[in-house]
Coordinates of all heavy atoms in Angstrom, one line a residue:
L142 N -149.2 -18.6 168.7 CA -149.6 -18.3 167.4 C -148.5 -18.5 166.4 O -147.3 -18.0 166.6 CB -150.2 -16.9 167.2 CG -151.6 -16.6 167.8 CD1 -151.9 -15.2 167.6 CD2 -152.6 -17.5 167.1
R143 N -148.8 -19.2 165.3 CA -147.8 -19.3 164.2 C -148.3 -18.5 163.0 O -147.6 -18.2 162.1 CB -147.6 -20.8 163.8 CG -147.0 -21.6 164.9 CD -147.0 -23.1 164.5 NE -146.3 -23.9 165.5 CZ -145.1 -24.3 165.4 NH1 -144.4 -24.1 164.3 NH2 -144.5 -25.1 166.3
Y144 N -149.7 -18.3 162.9 CA -150.3 -17.5 161.8 C -151.2 -16.5 162.4 O -152.1 -16.8 163.2 CB -151.0 -18.5 160.9 CG -151.8 -17.9 159.7 CD1 -151.2 -18.0 158.5 CD2 -153.0 -17.3 159.9 CE1 -151.9 -17.4 157.4 CE2 -153.6 -16.7 158.8 CZ -153.1 -16.8 157.5 OH -153.7 -16.2 156.5
L145 N -151.1 -15.2 162.0 CA -152.0 -14.2 162.5 C -152.3 -13.3 161.3 O -151.4 -12.6 160.7 CB -151.3 -13.3 163.6 CG -152.1 -12.1 164.1 CD1 -153.4 -12.6 164.6 CD2 -151.3 -11.4 165.1
N146 N -153.6 -13.2 161.0 CA -154.1 -12.4 159.8 C -155.1 -11.4 160.4 O -156.2 -11.8 160.7 CB -154.7 -13.3 158.7 CG -154.9 -12.5 157.5 OD1 -155.0 -11.3 157.5 ND2 -155.0 -13.2 156.3
L147 N -154.7 -10.1 160.4 CA -155.6 -9.0 160.9 C -155.8 -8.0 159.7 O -156.0 -6.9 160.0 CB -155.1 -8.3 162.1 CG -154.9 -9.2 163.4 CD1 -154.3 -8.4 164.5 CD2 -156.2 -9.8 163.8
S148 N -155.7 -8.5 158.5 CA -155.8 -7.6 157.3 C -157.2 -7.1 157.2 O -158.2 -7.8 157.3 CB -155.3 -8.3 156.1 OG -156.1 -9.4 155.8
N149 N -157.4 -5.8 156.8 CA -158.7 -5.2 156.5 C -159.7 -5.4 157.6 O -160.9 -5.7 157.3 CB -159.2 -5.7 155.2 CG -158.2 -5.5 154.0 OD1 -157.8 -4.3 153.9 ND2 -158.0 -6.5 153.2
V150 N -159.3 -5.2 158.8 CA -160.3 -5.4 159.9 C -160.7 -4.1 160.6 O -161.3 -4.0 161.6 CB -159.8 -6.4 161.0 CG1 -159.6 -7.8 160.5 CG2 -158.5 -5.9 161.6
Q151 N -160.3 -3.0 159.9 CA -160.6 -1.6 160.4 C -160.0 -1.3 161.8 O -160.6 -0.6 162.6 CB -162.1 -1.4 160.4 CG -162.7 -1.6 159.0 CD -164.2 -1.2 158.9 OE1 -164.6 -0.3 159.5 NE2 -164.9 -1.9 158.0
F152 N -158.9 -1.9 162.1 CA -158.1 -1.4 163.2 C -157.4 -0.1 162.7 O -157.3 0.1 161.5 CB -157.0 -2.4 163.6 CG -157.5 -3.4 164.5 CD1 -157.2 -4.8 164.3 CD2 -158.2 -3.1 165.7 CE1 -157.6 -5.8 165.1 CE2 -158.7 -4.1 166.6 CZ -158.4 -5.4 166.3
R153 N -157.0 0.8 163.7 CA -156.4 2.0 163.3 C -155.3 2.3 164.4 O -155.2 1.7 165.4 CB -157.4 3.2 163.2 CG -158.0 3.5 164.6 CD -158.9 4.7 164.5 NE -159.6 4.9 165.8 CZ -159.0 5.6 166.8 NH1 -157.8 6.0 166.7 NH2 -159.7 5.7 168.0
G154 N -154.5 3.4 164.1 CA -153.6 3.8 165.0 C -152.3 3.0 165.0 O -152.0 2.2 164.1
R155 N -151.5 3.1 166.1 CA -150.2 2.5 166.2 C -150.3 1.0 166.4 O -151.1 0.5 167.2 CB -149.4 3.2 167.4 CG -147.9 2.7 167.4 CD -147.3 3.4 168.6 NE -147.8 2.8 169.9 CZ -147.3 1.7 170.5 NH1 -146.2 1.1 169.9 NH2 -147.8 1.3 171.6
I156 N -149.4 0.3 165.7 CA -149.3 -1.1 165.9 C -148.5 -1.4 167.2 O -147.4 -0.9 167.3 CB -148.6 -1.8 164.7 CG1 -149.4 -1.6 163.4 CG2 -148.4 -3.3 164.9 CD1 -148.8 -2.1 162.2
P157 N -149.1 -2.1 168.1 CA -148.4 -2.2 169.4 C -147.1 -3.1 169.3 O -147.1 -4.1 168.6 CB -149.4 -2.9 170.3 CG -150.3 -3.6 169.4 CD -150.4 -2.8 168.1
S158 N -146.0 -2.6 169.9 CA -144.8 -3.3 169.8 C -144.9 -4.7 170.5 O -144.0 -5.6 170.3 CB -143.7 -2.5 170.5 OG -144.0 -2.2 171.8
E159 N -145.9 -4.9 171.3 CA -146.1 -6.2 172.0 C -146.3 -7.4 171.0 O -146.1 -8.5 171.4 CB -147.3 -6.1 172.9 CG -147.1 -5.4 174.2 CD -147.2 -3.8 174.0 OE1 -147.5 -3.4 172.9 OE2 -147.0 -3.1 175.0
L160 N -146.6 -7.1 169.8 CA -146.7 -8.1 168.8 C -145.3 -8.8 168.6 O -145.3 -9.9 168.1 CB -147.2 -7.6 167.4 CG -148.7 -7.1 167.4 CD1 -149.1 -6.8 166.0 CD2 -149.6 -8.2 167.9
G161 N -144.3 -8.1 169.0 CA -143.0 -8.7 168.9 C -142.8 -9.9 169.8 O -141.8 -10.7 169.7
N162 N -143.7 -10.1 170.8 CA -143.7 -11.3 171.7 C -144.1 -12.5 171.0 O -144.0 -13.6 171.6 CB -144.5 -11.0 172.9 CG -144.0 -9.8 173.7 OD1 -142.8 -9.6 173.8 ND2 -144.9 -9.1 174.4
L163 N -144.7 -12.4 169.8 CA -145.2 -13.6 169.1 C -144.1 -14.3 168.4 O -144.1 -14.3 167.1 CB -146.4 -13.2 168.2 CG -147.5 -12.5 168.8 CD1 -148.6 -12.1 167.8 CD2 -148.2 -13.3 170.0
T164 N -143.1 -14.8 169.1 CA -141.9 -15.2 168.5 C -142.0 -16.5 167.6 O -141.1 -16.9 166.9 CB -140.8 -15.5 169.6 OG1 -141.4 -16.4 170.6 CG2 -140.5 -14.1 170.3
R165 N -143.2 -17.2 167.7 CA -143.3 -18.4 166.9 C -144.0 -18.1 165.6 O -144.2 -19.0 164.8 CB -144.2 -19.4 167.7 CG -143.5 -19.9 168.9 CD -144.2 -21.1 169.5 NE -143.6 -21.6 170.7 CZ -144.0 -22.7 171.3 NH1 -145.0 -23.4 170.9 NH2 -143.3 -23.2 172.4
L166 N -144.3 -16.9 165.3 CA -145.1 -16.5 164.1 C -144.3 -16.9 162.8 O -143.1 -16.6 162.7 CB -145.4 -15.0 164.1 CG -146.7 -14.5 164.8 CD1 -146.8 -13.0 164.6 CD2 -147.9 -15.3 164.3
R167 N -145.0 -17.5 161.9 CA -144.5 -17.7 160.6 C -145.1 -16.7 159.6 O -144.5 -16.4 158.6 CB -144.8 -19.2 160.1 CG -143.7 -20.2 160.4 CD -143.5 -20.4 161.8 NE -142.5 -21.6 162.0 CZ -142.1 -21.9 163.2 NH1 -142.5 -21.2 164.3 NH2 -141.3 -22.9 163.4
V168 N -146.3 -16.3 159.8 CA -147.1 -15.5 158.9 C -147.7 -14.3 159.7 O -148.4 -14.6 160.7 CB -148.2 -16.2 158.1 CG1 -149.0 -15.2 157.3 CG2 -147.6 -17.3 157.2
L169 N -147.5 -13.1 159.3 CA -148.1 -11.9 159.9 C -148.6 -11.0 158.8 O -147.9 -10.5 158.0 CB -147.1 -11.1 160.8 CG -147.6 -9.8 161.4 CD1 -148.8 -10.1 162.3 CD2 -146.5 -9.1 162.2
D170 N -149.9 -10.8 158.8 CA -150.6 -10.0 157.8 C -151.4 -8.9 158.5 O -152.4 -9.1 159.1 CB -151.5 -10.9 156.9 CG -152.0 -10.1 155.7 OD1 -151.9 -8.9 155.6 OD2 -152.5 -10.8 154.7
L171 N -150.9 -7.7 158.3 CA -151.5 -6.5 158.9 C -151.9 -5.5 157.8 O -152.1 -4.3 158.0 CB -150.6 -5.8 159.9 CG -150.1 -6.6 161.1 CD1 -149.1 -5.8 161.9 CD2 -151.3 -7.0 162.0
S172 N -152.0 -6.0 156.5 CA -152.3 -5.2 155.4 C -153.7 -4.5 155.5 O -154.6 -5.0 156.2 CB -152.3 -6.0 154.1 OG -153.2 -7.0 154.1
W173 N -153.8 -3.3 154.9 CA -154.9 -2.4 155.1 C -155.1 -1.6 153.9 O -154.3 -0.8 153.5 CB -154.7 -1.6 156.3 CG -155.8 -0.7 156.8 CD1 -155.8 0.6 157.0 CD2 -157.2 -1.1 157.0 NE1 -157.1 1.1 157.3 CE2 -157.9 0.0 157.4 CE3 -157.8 -2.4 157.0 CZ2 -159.3 -0.1 157.7 CZ3 -159.2 -2.4 157.3 CH2 -159.9 -1.3 157.7

Side-chain angles (χ1 to χ4, degrees):
L142 283 180
R143 295 171 178 260
Y144 179 101
L145 177 59
N146 191 340
L147 299 178
S148 62
N149 300 313
V150 295
Q151 301 189 34
F152 277 131
R153 63 175 178 84
R155 188 181 70 89
I156 298 175
S158 59
E159 286 80 2
L160 291 187
N162 297 328
L163 305 178
T164 55
R165 296 189 179 188
L166 274 182
R167 267 63 172 177
V168 175
L169 176 59
D170 192 343
L171 300 174
S172 58
W173 185 234

